């Protein structure tokens, strides 16, 4: 049981890392530090968006429109944090 919880925690850690990369990249794109017209930037941005869209889509359906402000990553972060706490508590692990 301990190894299963460690695998789940590792997957959640990877998802959090990918989310942080996408959030920072979206800031850099919005502040025009990165240009989406560059092929490498576009490929990375599309890859991250395709990876995270299945996580964000159900959250965006529930959240009301916020006039350009996307709170789906924040809600997903809180949900991942809550899942990590549940796994730690149920597995008897301490961090």
């Amino acid at each position: 049981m301990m190894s299963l919880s460690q695998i789940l925690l590792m997957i959640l850690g990877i998802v959090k890392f990918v989310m942080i990369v996408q959030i920072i990249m979206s800031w850099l794109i919005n502040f025009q530090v990165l240009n989406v017209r560059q092929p490498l930037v576009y490929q990375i941005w599309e890859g991250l968006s395709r990876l995270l869209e299945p996580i964000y889509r159900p959250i965006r359906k529930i959240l009301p429109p916020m006039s350009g402000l996307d709170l789906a990553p924040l809600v997903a972060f809180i949900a991942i944090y809550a899942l990590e706490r549940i796994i730690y508590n149920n597995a008897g692990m301490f961090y």
Side-chain angles (χ1 to χ4, degrees):
M1 185 65 179
M2 185 69 80
S3 62
L4 180 63
S5 61
Q6 289 175 343
I7 291 170
L8 289 173
L9 288 171
M10 181 182 64
I11 291 170
L12 290 174
I14 292 170
V15 170
K16 282 193 321 188
F17 177 76
V18 170
M19 286 175 61
I20 290 171
V21 169
Q22 196 229 9
I23 290 168
I24 292 172
M25 195 168 175
S26 73
W27 290 345
L28 293 175
I29 289 170
N30 285 333
F31 291 126
Q32 298 177 354
V33 176
L34 292 178
N35 188 358
V36 184
R37 293 187 187 119
Q38 295 174 344
L40 180 62
V41 174
Y42 178 76
Q43 287 177 349
I44 293 172
W45 178 250
E46 276 298 308
L48 292 174
S49 296
R50 288 182 184 183
L51 280 174
L52 293 173
E53 189 59 31
I55 297 171
Y56 293 157
R57 189 179 308 122
I59 298 170
R60 288 183 180 134
K61 287 181 181 179
I62 296 170
L63 290 176
M66 300 289 288
S67 68
L69 185 62
D70 188 17
L71 294 179
L74 177 65
V75 173
F77 251 105
I78 293 171
I80 289 173
Y81 181 76
L83 282 173
E84 285 179 339
R85 297 300 106 209
I86 291 169
I87 292 171
Y88 274 121
N89 290 337
N90 287 335
M93 298 168 50
F94 300 103
Y95 62 106

XYZ file of all heavy atoms in Angstrom:
775
model
N 0.822 -1.198 0.000
C 0.000 0.000 0.000
C 0.859 1.251 0.000
O 0.495 2.253 -0.585
C -0.916 -0.042 1.234
C -1.895 1.073 1.291
S -3.025 0.929 -0.088
C -4.072 2.285 0.209
N 2.006 1.152 0.676
C 2.890 2.312 0.758
C 3.440 2.674 -0.615
O 3.529 3.845 -0.958
C 4.036 2.026 1.725
C 4.920 3.207 1.972
S 4.125 4.508 2.912
C 4.280 3.855 4.544
N 3.790 1.671 -1.418
C 4.353 1.975 -2.741
C 3.294 2.577 -3.665
O 3.616 3.449 -4.474
C 4.952 0.716 -3.364
O 3.954 -0.260 -3.552
N 2.056 2.138 -3.546
C 0.983 2.723 -4.353
C 0.777 4.182 -4.006
O 0.620 5.026 -4.897
C -0.314 1.937 -4.156
C -1.524 2.432 -4.941
C -1.259 2.316 -6.432
C -2.757 1.650 -4.547
N 0.811 4.512 -2.732
C 0.653 5.906 -2.333
C 1.845 6.742 -2.786
O 1.683 7.899 -3.180
C 0.452 6.022 -0.827
O 1.575 5.522 -0.143
N 3.036 6.167 -2.773
C 4.205 6.895 -3.249
C 4.127 7.143 -4.750
O 4.518 8.210 -5.225
C 5.479 6.134 -2.894
C 5.795 6.165 -1.421
C 6.993 5.301 -1.067
O 7.399 4.437 -1.842
N 7.537 5.521 0.117
N 3.621 6.183 -5.496
C 3.443 6.371 -6.941
C 2.424 7.460 -7.214
O 2.635 8.336 -8.073
C 3.040 5.045 -7.607
C 4.207 4.053 -7.573
C 2.577 5.270 -9.045
C 3.848 2.650 -7.984
N 1.306 7.449 -6.481
C 0.294 8.494 -6.654
C 0.845 9.872 -6.303
O 0.574 10.855 -7.007
C -0.937 8.181 -5.808
C -1.790 7.016 -6.258
C -2.876 6.719 -5.242
C -2.382 7.281 -7.625
N 1.635 9.948 -5.229
C 2.234 11.225 -4.856
C 3.228 11.703 -5.908
O 3.323 12.908 -6.184
C 2.905 11.106 -3.490
C 1.958 10.993 -2.306
C 2.737 10.665 -1.034
C 1.150 12.261 -2.140
N 3.967 10.785 -6.509
C 4.908 11.159 -7.560
C 4.157 11.697 -8.778
O 4.543 12.712 -9.356
C 5.772 9.965 -7.968
C 6.785 10.299 -9.042
S 7.757 8.881 -9.571
C 6.517 7.846 -10.297
N 3.066 11.054 -9.158
C 2.261 11.519 -10.296
C 1.682 12.891 -10.008
O 1.706 13.784 -10.870
C 1.166 10.488 -10.634
C 1.791 9.224 -11.198
C 0.143 11.072 -11.605
C 0.841 8.063 -11.352
N 1.176 13.100 -8.797
C 0.642 14.407 -8.436
C 1.732 15.476 -8.443
O 1.492 16.614 -8.835
C -0.040 14.351 -7.063
C -1.344 13.575 -7.005
C -1.839 13.474 -5.571
C -2.392 14.197 -7.900
N 2.936 15.119 -8.031
C 4.058 16.055 -8.073
C 4.422 16.444 -9.499
O 4.717 17.608 -9.776
N 4.389 15.483 -10.405
C 4.671 15.768 -11.814
C 3.604 16.672 -12.398
O 3.902 17.630 -13.133
C 4.807 14.457 -12.612
C 6.065 13.701 -12.186
C 4.826 14.722 -14.109
C 6.165 12.296 -12.727
N 2.339 16.410 -12.055
C 1.240 17.256 -12.549
C 1.393 18.681 -12.031
O 1.206 19.648 -12.778
C -0.124 16.655 -12.162
C -1.253 17.622 -12.454
C -0.356 15.347 -12.885
N 1.761 18.823 -10.754
C 1.973 20.170 -10.204
C 3.104 20.884 -10.928
O 3.004 22.068 -11.229
C 2.278 20.099 -8.708
C 1.080 19.895 -7.851
C 1.311 20.141 -6.370
C 2.612 19.668 -5.823
N 2.710 19.765 -4.361
N 4.196 20.161 -11.220
C 5.320 20.761 -11.929
C 4.906 21.229 -13.319
O 5.245 22.344 -13.732
C 6.486 19.768 -12.024
C 7.653 20.281 -12.801
C 8.511 21.212 -12.245
C 7.895 19.838 -14.095
C 9.592 21.697 -12.962
C 8.963 20.315 -14.817
C 9.818 21.256 -14.254
N 4.176 20.396 -14.047
C 3.719 20.768 -15.393
C 2.781 21.973 -15.314
O 2.848 22.872 -16.152
C 3.042 19.557 -16.085
C 2.358 19.969 -17.371
C 4.068 18.470 -16.349
N 1.938 22.020 -14.289
C 1.044 23.165 -14.121
C 1.827 24.445 -13.857
O 1.516 25.500 -14.419
C 0.061 22.909 -12.979
C -1.019 21.928 -13.328
S -2.079 21.511 -11.937
C -2.754 23.097 -11.536
N 2.856 24.370 -13.033
C 3.678 25.549 -12.754
C 4.375 26.024 -14.016
O 4.428 27.233 -14.293
C 4.689 25.241 -11.630
C 3.954 25.093 -10.298
C 5.748 26.332 -11.522
C 4.816 24.588 -9.170
N 4.903 25.098 -14.804
C 5.562 25.467 -16.056
C 4.569 26.161 -16.991
O 4.883 27.193 -17.597
C 6.196 24.234 -16.739
C 6.644 24.538 -18.154
C 7.356 23.713 -15.911
N 3.363 25.633 -17.091
C 2.370 26.235 -17.968
C 1.928 27.606 -17.471
O 1.734 28.522 -18.262
C 1.158 25.323 -18.122
C 0.303 25.717 -19.303
C -1.155 25.828 -18.971
O -1.548 25.771 -17.815
N -1.948 25.994 -19.998
N 1.784 27.764 -16.175
C 1.391 29.059 -15.613
C 2.466 30.102 -15.876
O 2.167 31.215 -16.323
C 1.103 28.921 -14.100
C -0.174 28.118 -13.884
C 1.008 30.289 -13.437
C -0.383 27.690 -12.454
N 3.728 29.761 -15.633
C 4.823 30.704 -15.884
C 4.921 31.021 -17.361
O 5.115 32.177 -17.753
C 6.148 30.149 -15.324
C 6.088 30.120 -13.800
C 7.330 30.964 -15.813
C 7.255 29.433 -13.138
N 4.752 30.015 -18.198
C 4.810 30.246 -19.640
C 3.664 31.144 -20.096
O 3.861 32.003 -20.961
C 4.788 28.922 -20.380
C 5.182 29.027 -21.805
S 5.458 27.386 -22.486
C 5.750 27.827 -24.166
N 2.480 30.994 -19.518
C 1.364 31.862 -19.903
C 1.638 33.299 -19.498
O 1.286 34.235 -20.231
C 0.064 31.369 -19.281
O 0.031 31.623 -17.902
N 2.274 33.509 -18.337
C 2.649 34.872 -17.946
C 3.651 35.453 -18.932
O 3.536 36.613 -19.332
C 3.257 34.884 -16.561
C 2.314 34.606 -15.437
C 0.943 34.626 -15.485
C 2.657 34.240 -14.115
N 0.430 34.293 -14.264
C 1.456 34.059 -13.396
C 3.866 34.051 -13.462
C 1.441 33.712 -12.060
C 3.844 33.698 -12.126
C 2.647 33.529 -11.445
N 4.658 34.661 -19.306
C 5.676 35.151 -20.240
C 5.078 35.463 -21.612
O 5.494 36.406 -22.276
C 6.811 34.136 -20.362
C 7.662 33.942 -19.104
C 8.661 32.819 -19.314
C 8.355 35.224 -18.714
N 4.095 34.677 -22.030
C 3.426 34.941 -23.299
C 2.587 36.208 -23.196
O 2.604 37.054 -24.096
C 2.580 33.728 -23.734
C 3.502 32.594 -24.164
C 1.628 34.097 -24.867
C 2.799 31.273 -24.388
N 1.866 36.375 -22.089
C 1.035 37.566 -21.928
C 1.851 38.841 -21.801
O 1.409 39.907 -22.239
C 0.115 37.423 -20.711
C -1.023 36.488 -20.977
O -1.451 36.327 -22.113
N -1.514 35.850 -19.935
N 3.032 38.760 -21.197
C 3.899 39.927 -21.091
C 4.818 40.075 -22.297
O 5.738 40.882 -22.285
C 4.720 39.880 -19.804
C 3.906 40.070 -18.567
C 3.954 39.146 -17.543
C 3.086 41.172 -18.425
C 3.204 39.315 -16.393
C 2.330 41.356 -17.282
C 2.386 40.426 -16.258
N 4.587 39.277 -23.327
C 5.285 39.318 -24.613
C 6.787 39.092 -24.481
O 7.577 39.643 -25.235
C 4.994 40.626 -25.335
C 3.525 40.783 -25.661
C 3.196 42.105 -26.301
O 4.053 42.981 -26.423
N 1.957 42.258 -26.709
N 7.173 38.281 -23.514
C 8.557 37.843 -23.414
C 8.774 36.670 -24.361
O 9.814 36.577 -25.013
C 8.909 37.456 -21.960
C 10.310 36.899 -21.865
C 8.743 38.654 -21.036
N 7.774 35.794 -24.444
C 7.793 34.683 -25.392
C 6.794 34.950 -26.502
O 5.741 35.546 -26.274
C 7.420 33.371 -24.694
C 8.398 32.824 -23.676
C 7.849 31.562 -23.043
C 9.742 32.544 -24.299
N 7.149 34.514 -27.695
C 6.286 34.701 -28.853
C 5.776 33.331 -29.303
O 6.568 32.448 -29.617
C 7.057 35.393 -29.978
C 6.175 35.790 -31.120
O 4.982 35.520 -31.120
N 6.767 36.443 -32.110
N 4.453 33.177 -29.364
C 3.859 31.900 -29.742
C 4.085 31.605 -31.219
O 3.920 30.469 -31.662
C 2.361 31.896 -29.387
C 1.723 30.553 -29.678
C 2.157 32.233 -27.931
N 4.475 32.580 -31.985
C 4.740 32.340 -33.417
C 6.039 31.583 -33.654
O 6.277 31.089 -34.751
C 4.769 33.672 -34.164
C 3.414 34.334 -34.206
C 3.430 35.568 -35.087
N 2.183 36.270 -34.967
C 2.054 37.507 -34.522
N 3.126 38.185 -34.151
N 0.888 38.070 -34.441
N 6.887 31.512 -32.636
C 8.101 30.713 -32.772
C 7.717 29.236 -32.651
O 6.956 28.859 -31.762
C 9.108 31.080 -31.685
C 9.619 32.493 -31.799
C 10.505 32.860 -30.622
O 10.509 32.184 -29.593
N 11.259 33.935 -30.783
N 8.231 28.404 -33.544
C 7.790 26.998 -33.573
C 8.023 26.248 -32.262
O 7.142 25.508 -31.814
C 8.618 26.384 -34.698
C 9.033 27.524 -35.541
C 9.134 28.716 -34.648
N 9.181 26.421 -31.631
C 9.462 25.694 -30.389
C 8.529 26.132 -29.267
O 7.983 25.296 -28.538
C 10.916 25.892 -29.973
C 11.339 25.188 -28.684
C 11.194 23.679 -28.834
C 12.737 25.566 -28.302
N 8.327 27.436 -29.138
C 7.432 27.956 -28.097
C 6.012 27.454 -28.339
O 5.315 27.045 -27.402
C 7.491 29.497 -28.059
C 6.461 30.060 -27.089
C 8.888 29.981 -27.692
N 5.585 27.470 -29.593
C 4.241 27.010 -29.929
C 4.059 25.527 -29.588
O 3.038 25.134 -29.028
C 3.951 27.251 -31.410
C 2.593 26.744 -31.833
C 1.445 27.443 -31.510
C 2.481 25.554 -32.541
C 0.200 26.980 -31.883
C 1.235 25.073 -32.919
C 0.094 25.789 -32.596
O -1.137 25.318 -32.958
N 5.062 24.710 -29.912
C 4.963 23.275 -29.640
C 4.906 22.994 -28.143
O 4.114 22.160 -27.686
C 6.140 22.535 -30.265
C 6.063 22.434 -31.762
C 7.292 21.761 -32.346
O 8.279 21.559 -31.654
N 7.229 21.423 -33.624
N 5.736 23.688 -27.375
C 5.719 23.494 -25.927
C 4.388 23.950 -25.351
O 3.780 23.262 -24.528
C 6.895 24.242 -25.266
C 8.218 23.612 -25.688
C 6.758 24.236 -23.747
C 9.446 24.377 -25.259
N 3.904 25.117 -25.800
C 2.643 25.656 -25.294
C 1.474 24.730 -25.635
O 0.624 24.458 -24.783
C 2.411 27.046 -25.855
C 1.119 27.646 -25.425
C 0.025 27.886 -26.184
C 0.775 28.071 -24.101
N -0.972 28.441 -25.428
C -0.538 28.559 -24.147
C 1.449 28.084 -22.888
C -1.185 29.051 -23.025
C 0.801 28.575 -21.772
C -0.501 29.043 -21.850
N 1.429 24.238 -26.854
C 0.351 23.329 -27.253
C 0.426 22.009 -26.494
O -0.592 21.462 -26.085
C 0.396 23.068 -28.762
C -0.290 24.113 -29.584
C -1.774 24.212 -29.279
O -2.463 23.185 -29.311
O -2.229 25.321 -28.995
N 1.633 21.499 -26.313
C 1.786 20.246 -25.569
C 1.316 20.377 -24.128
O 0.590 19.517 -23.619
N 1.702 21.471 -23.474
C 1.264 21.693 -22.098
C -0.244 21.901 -22.027
O -0.909 21.391 -21.118
C 1.990 22.902 -21.503
C 3.488 22.739 -21.259
C 4.099 24.057 -20.805
C 3.750 21.653 -20.249
N -0.774 22.635 -22.984
C -2.223 22.875 -22.990
C -2.999 21.576 -23.197
O -4.027 21.345 -22.547
C -2.589 23.877 -24.080
O -2.001 25.125 -23.805
N -2.516 20.724 -24.078
C -3.201 19.442 -24.320
C -3.088 18.502 -23.126
O -3.992 17.708 -22.880
C -2.636 18.774 -25.565
C -3.048 19.473 -26.832
C -2.527 18.787 -28.041
N -2.864 19.538 -29.242
C -2.578 19.141 -30.449
N -1.941 17.997 -30.641
N -2.913 19.889 -31.478
N -1.978 18.580 -22.409
C -1.830 17.747 -21.224
C -2.758 18.188 -20.095
O -3.334 17.358 -19.390
C -0.387 17.799 -20.715
C 0.631 16.935 -21.411
C 2.024 17.237 -20.869
C 0.310 15.465 -21.206
N -2.912 19.495 -19.927
C -3.642 20.003 -18.771
C -5.112 20.308 -19.049
O -5.884 20.496 -18.106
C -2.944 21.256 -18.244
C -1.559 20.989 -17.658
C -0.867 22.291 -17.308
C -1.651 20.093 -16.445
N -5.503 20.369 -20.292
C -6.900 20.686 -20.606
C -7.886 19.671 -20.025
O -8.944 20.080 -19.534
C -7.090 20.819 -22.118
C -8.441 21.351 -22.513
C -8.745 22.722 -21.947
O -7.816 23.522 -21.749
O -9.930 22.983 -21.684
N -7.600 18.362 -20.014
C -8.542 17.434 -19.368
C -8.714 17.687 -17.866
O -9.738 17.343 -17.299
C -7.923 16.059 -19.613
C -7.064 16.232 -20.801
C -6.561 17.643 -20.755
N -7.748 18.296 -17.238
C -7.874 18.642 -15.819
C -8.669 19.933 -15.661
O -9.513 20.049 -14.773
C -6.480 18.784 -15.172
C -5.744 17.452 -15.219
C -6.589 19.306 -13.750
C -4.301 17.534 -14.797
N -8.391 20.904 -16.520
C -9.016 22.227 -16.396
C -10.460 22.262 -16.896
O -11.262 23.035 -16.385
C -8.224 23.277 -17.169
C -6.849 23.564 -16.627
C -5.864 24.097 -17.446
C -6.515 23.315 -15.303
C -4.599 24.375 -16.960
C -5.250 23.583 -14.820
C -4.294 24.118 -15.652
O -3.046 24.384 -15.170
N -10.797 21.477 -17.898
C -12.119 21.556 -18.533
C -13.273 21.358 -17.556
O -14.198 22.179 -17.532
C -12.217 20.565 -19.689
C -13.481 20.740 -20.516
C -13.567 19.768 -21.695
N -12.369 19.790 -22.506
C -11.609 18.703 -22.745
N -11.932 17.526 -22.246
N -10.534 18.795 -23.493
N -13.266 20.312 -16.712
C -14.388 20.162 -15.768
C -14.461 21.310 -14.759
O -15.553 21.709 -14.348
C -14.105 18.848 -15.053
C -13.059 18.166 -15.830
C -12.356 19.175 -16.646
N -13.310 21.844 -14.381
C -13.291 22.958 -13.434
C -13.870 24.207 -14.083
O -14.629 24.958 -13.460
C -11.855 23.197 -12.927
C -11.349 21.962 -12.177
C -11.785 24.433 -12.046
C -9.887 21.995 -11.835
N -13.519 24.448 -15.343
C -14.035 25.627 -16.055
C -15.539 25.548 -16.268
O -16.209 26.574 -16.340
C -13.324 25.781 -17.395
C -11.901 26.246 -17.249
C -11.239 26.465 -18.586
N -9.870 26.909 -18.408
C -8.835 26.423 -19.067
N -9.015 25.495 -19.978
N -7.624 26.879 -18.833
N -16.079 24.329 -16.378
C -17.530 24.191 -16.527
C -18.252 24.599 -15.255
O -19.363 25.115 -15.304
C -17.896 22.750 -16.891
C -17.553 22.378 -18.296
C -17.968 20.950 -18.586
C -17.600 20.554 -19.997
N -17.971 19.163 -20.285
N -17.635 24.361 -14.103
C -18.261 24.666 -12.820
C -18.093 26.136 -12.449
O -19.031 26.767 -11.961
C -17.673 23.767 -11.717
C -18.017 22.309 -11.998
C -18.165 24.180 -10.346
C -17.291 21.330 -11.114
N -16.894 26.702 -12.692
C -16.619 28.084 -12.305
C -17.389 29.068 -13.189
O -17.495 28.856 -14.402
C -15.127 28.389 -12.423
C -14.202 27.724 -11.419
C -12.758 28.066 -11.739
C -14.531 28.155 -10.012
N -17.877 30.143 -12.619
C -18.524 31.158 -13.444
C -17.476 31.949 -14.233
O -16.309 32.008 -13.833
C -19.221 32.062 -12.419
C -18.438 31.883 -11.172
C -17.931 30.471 -11.199
N -17.867 32.579 -15.348
C -16.913 33.377 -16.116
C -16.394 34.559 -15.286
O -17.160 35.230 -14.606
C -17.709 33.867 -17.311
C -19.042 33.234 -17.239
C -19.178 32.519 -15.955
N -15.104 34.789 -15.347
C -14.475 35.834 -14.536
C -13.870 36.936 -15.402
O -12.901 37.568 -15.004
C -13.392 35.219 -13.658
C -13.873 34.170 -12.698
S -14.844 34.833 -11.380
C -13.584 35.642 -10.430
N -14.401 37.157 -16.583
C -13.958 38.219 -17.507
C -12.450 38.186 -17.756
O -11.724 39.135 -17.486
C -14.386 39.596 -17.003
O -13.701 39.942 -15.823
N -11.986 37.081 -18.290
C -10.584 36.966 -18.687
C -9.668 36.380 -17.638
O -8.513 36.101 -17.930
N -10.140 36.176 -16.429
C -9.320 35.614 -15.367
C -9.633 34.126 -15.247
O -10.770 33.743 -14.986
C -9.614 36.330 -14.042
C -8.762 35.931 -12.855
C -7.294 36.241 -13.112
C -9.242 36.655 -11.624
N -8.621 33.295 -15.447
C -8.809 31.843 -15.398
C -8.374 31.320 -14.037
O -7.188 31.331 -13.706
C -7.997 31.191 -16.511
C -8.282 29.711 -16.643
O -9.312 29.258 -16.105
O -7.489 29.020 -17.304
N -9.340 30.892 -13.252
C -9.044 30.376 -11.922
C -8.945 28.853 -11.888
O -8.749 28.273 -10.819
C -10.115 30.840 -10.935
C -10.167 32.338 -10.680
C -11.282 32.664 -9.720
C -8.846 32.850 -10.152
N -9.063 28.204 -13.032
C -8.995 26.746 -13.084
C -7.661 26.199 -12.570
O -7.661 25.214 -11.815
C -9.283 26.250 -14.491
N -6.507 26.800 -12.917
C -5.254 26.276 -12.360
C -5.185 26.389 -10.839
O -4.685 25.484 -10.169
C -4.177 27.141 -13.013
C -4.785 27.615 -14.277
C -6.240 27.788 -13.970
N -5.717 27.467 -10.278
C -5.714 27.628 -8.830
C -6.575 26.566 -8.155
O -6.159 25.939 -7.174
C -6.209 29.023 -8.451
C -6.317 29.319 -6.965
C -4.941 29.284 -6.326
C -6.996 30.643 -6.743
N -7.750 26.319 -8.698
C -8.639 25.296 -8.144
C -8.000 23.916 -8.290
O -8.070 23.084 -7.378
C -10.022 25.360 -8.826
C -10.905 24.208 -8.391
C -10.691 26.694 -8.546
N -7.341 23.663 -9.424
C -6.673 22.376 -9.627
C -5.524 22.202 -8.632
O -5.321 21.103 -8.103
C -6.160 22.271 -11.062
N -4.768 23.282 -8.369
C -3.698 23.218 -7.381
C -4.238 22.883 -6.000
O -3.675 22.054 -5.278
C -2.943 24.559 -7.307
C -1.573 24.496 -7.883
C -1.311 25.060 -9.104
C -0.551 23.881 -7.204
C -0.058 25.008 -9.645
C 0.714 23.822 -7.728
C 0.966 24.385 -8.959
N -5.332 23.522 -5.619
C -5.929 23.256 -4.311
C -6.406 21.801 -4.241
O -6.227 21.127 -3.219
C -7.066 24.248 -4.036
C -6.484 25.654 -3.870
C -7.865 23.846 -2.808
C -7.515 26.756 -3.819
N -6.996 21.314 -5.323
C -7.471 19.928 -5.348
C -6.303 18.945 -5.253
O -6.387 17.940 -4.529
C -8.282 19.677 -6.613
N -5.219 19.229 -5.955
C -4.047 18.347 -5.893
C -3.442 18.369 -4.500
O -3.055 17.331 -3.952
C -3.014 18.746 -6.974
C -3.531 18.376 -8.355
C -1.665 18.088 -6.711
C -2.675 18.865 -9.487
N -3.372 19.540 -3.909
C -2.851 19.646 -2.539
C -3.719 18.841 -1.568
O -3.207 18.130 -0.701
C -2.779 21.111 -2.120
C -2.225 21.312 -0.735
C -0.863 21.194 -0.490
C -3.055 21.599 0.329
C -0.350 21.358 0.782
C -2.555 21.768 1.604
C -1.195 21.651 1.821
O -0.693 21.811 3.086
N -5.035 18.947 -1.725
C -5.947 18.197 -0.862
C -5.765 16.690 -1.059
O -5.756 15.926 -0.083
C -7.389 18.609 -1.143
N -5.620 16.260 -2.311
C -5.381 14.833 -2.575
C -4.076 14.364 -1.934
O -4.010 13.257 -1.387
C -5.346 14.575 -4.077
C -6.684 14.521 -4.795
C -6.459 14.438 -6.300
C -7.480 13.331 -4.318
N -3.037 15.186 -2.014
C -1.773 14.819 -1.386
C -1.939 14.665 0.127
O -1.419 13.719 0.714
C -0.703 15.866 -1.692
C -0.172 15.795 -3.089
C 0.865 16.858 -3.370
O 0.904 17.881 -2.645
O 1.629 16.673 -4.321
N -2.643 15.590 0.753
C -2.859 15.500 2.203
C -3.642 14.240 2.557
O -3.337 13.565 3.547
C -3.627 16.712 2.734
C -2.963 18.048 2.609
C -1.638 18.134 3.343
N -0.603 18.109 2.318
C 0.628 17.634 2.451
N 1.022 17.129 3.576
N 1.480 17.639 1.469
N -4.660 13.915 1.753
C -5.460 12.713 2.004
C -4.587 11.468 1.884
O -4.661 10.554 2.718
C -6.659 12.651 1.040
C -7.666 13.747 1.381
C -7.323 11.288 1.059
C -8.744 13.944 0.335
N -3.742 11.419 0.861
C -2.869 10.256 0.680
C -1.874 10.151 1.832
O -1.639 9.066 2.369
C -2.149 10.331 -0.687
C -3.158 10.154 -1.815
C -1.054 9.280 -0.777
C -2.609 10.421 -3.189
N -1.275 11.288 2.211
C -0.329 11.263 3.341
C -1.011 10.777 4.613
O -0.460 9.956 5.336
C 0.258 12.663 3.589
C 1.465 12.983 2.753
C 1.464 14.063 1.889
C 2.625 12.226 2.844
C 2.566 14.374 1.134
C 3.740 12.519 2.089
C 3.711 13.601 1.235
O 4.799 13.899 0.488
N -2.178 11.289 4.910
C -2.859 10.921 6.148
C -3.312 9.463 6.155
O -3.231 8.786 7.172
C -4.050 11.836 6.406
C -3.606 13.238 6.758
O -2.486 13.437 7.221
N -4.470 14.205 6.522
N -3.803 8.982 5.022
C -4.301 7.597 4.976
C -3.170 6.578 4.923
O -3.358 5.436 5.335
C -5.236 7.411 3.800
C -6.568 8.089 4.029
O -6.979 8.294 5.162
N -7.236 8.448 2.950
N -2.043 6.967 4.384
C -0.923 6.026 4.279
C -0.047 6.049 5.540
O 0.873 5.248 5.665
C -0.072 6.344 3.053
N -0.314 6.991 6.436
C 0.496 7.082 7.646
C 1.875 7.648 7.392
O 2.804 7.415 8.143
N 2.000 8.407 6.315
C 3.287 8.993 5.949
C 3.380 10.394 6.532
O 2.403 11.076 6.738
C 3.437 9.060 4.432
C 3.411 7.716 3.764
S 3.256 7.775 1.971
C 4.503 8.897 1.492
N 4.607 10.826 6.783
C 4.857 12.178 7.247
C 5.788 12.849 6.256
O 6.692 12.218 5.728
C 5.478 12.176 8.640
C 4.596 11.510 9.661
C 4.866 10.230 10.096
C 3.484 12.163 10.146
C 4.051 9.609 11.025
C 2.670 11.566 11.085
C 2.948 10.285 11.518
N 5.574 14.108 6.020
C 6.427 14.799 5.056
C 7.291 15.759 5.737
O 7.609 16.417 6.388
C 5.604 15.467 3.962
C 4.660 16.517 4.432
C 4.940 17.846 4.215
C 3.475 16.206 5.085
C 4.062 18.820 4.635
C 2.618 17.168 5.512
C 2.898 18.486 5.275
O 2.058 19.460 5.689
